[in-house]
Amino acid sequence: LWTLGNAYFSARNFVAATPFYERLVKVTPKDDGAWIAVGAAAFNGGDNDRALVAWQRAAELNPKNAEAFYNLGFWYLAQVPAQEANAIDMWQKVIDIDATSDFAKDVMSRMASASTPSPTK
């Protein structure tokens, strides 16, 4: 299931990848990595509601999974209007979990650039 889901995901066919990852979580419902994959495929395939559920489940199963909170931050930013405060809360959790991780470095950079005032003419 991983192989097929990953093949579709790599081919950017997120809608086709999602059912394979969903079958995977039915077989291994406590695998936070599988829930991350469901969320990523769903989000990239346009199913934001499914992505939210999947990433929340991953975070619930493993509160130290920085990737779950990293992705949730992007979910909040994708809302209309963007929920920036919630995104920052999620990204702060990423930093709290492991400030030296690539996820944390990325969110620290994003948060720093968001707080930088725009130049004026």
Side-chain angles (χ1 to χ4, degrees):
L1 295 173
W2 269 116
T3 303
L4 290 170
N6 289 344
Y8 282 113
F9 194 93
S10 295
R12 304 187 61 77
N13 188 342
F14 306 114
V15 174
T18 302
F20 288 101
Y21 293 139
E22 287 179 333
R23 288 185 200 133
L24 185 62
V25 297
K26 286 182 182 178
V27 175
T28 58
K30 294 186 180 186
D31 182 346
D32 57 312
W35 285 104
I36 295 277
V38 169
F43 186 80
N44 286 299
D47 188 348
N48 289 351
D49 293 338
R50 181 67 179 133
L52 176 63
V53 169
W55 290 332
Q56 286 175 330
R57 182 68 178 136
E60 176 184 301
L61 287 168
N62 182 359
K64 296 292 183 186
N65 187 325
E67 187 174 5
F69 295 103
Y70 177 82
N71 292 341
L72 283 165
F74 284 104
W75 186 90
Y76 283 113
L77 284 182
Q79 302 311 295
V80 178
Q83 297 176 21
E84 294 173 9
N86 290 337
I88 290 170
D89 287 346
M90 293 299 104
W91 288 349
Q92 184 59 55
K93 289 180 182 187
V94 172
I95 295 165
D96 293 344
I97 291 167
D98 183 359
T100 64
S101 72
D102 288 340
F103 293 121
K105 290 174 188 173
D106 183 56
V107 298
M108 285 187 276
S109 173
R110 290 175 186 278
M111 289 166 55
S113 66
S115 63
T116 304
S118 300
T120 57
K121 292 185 179 182

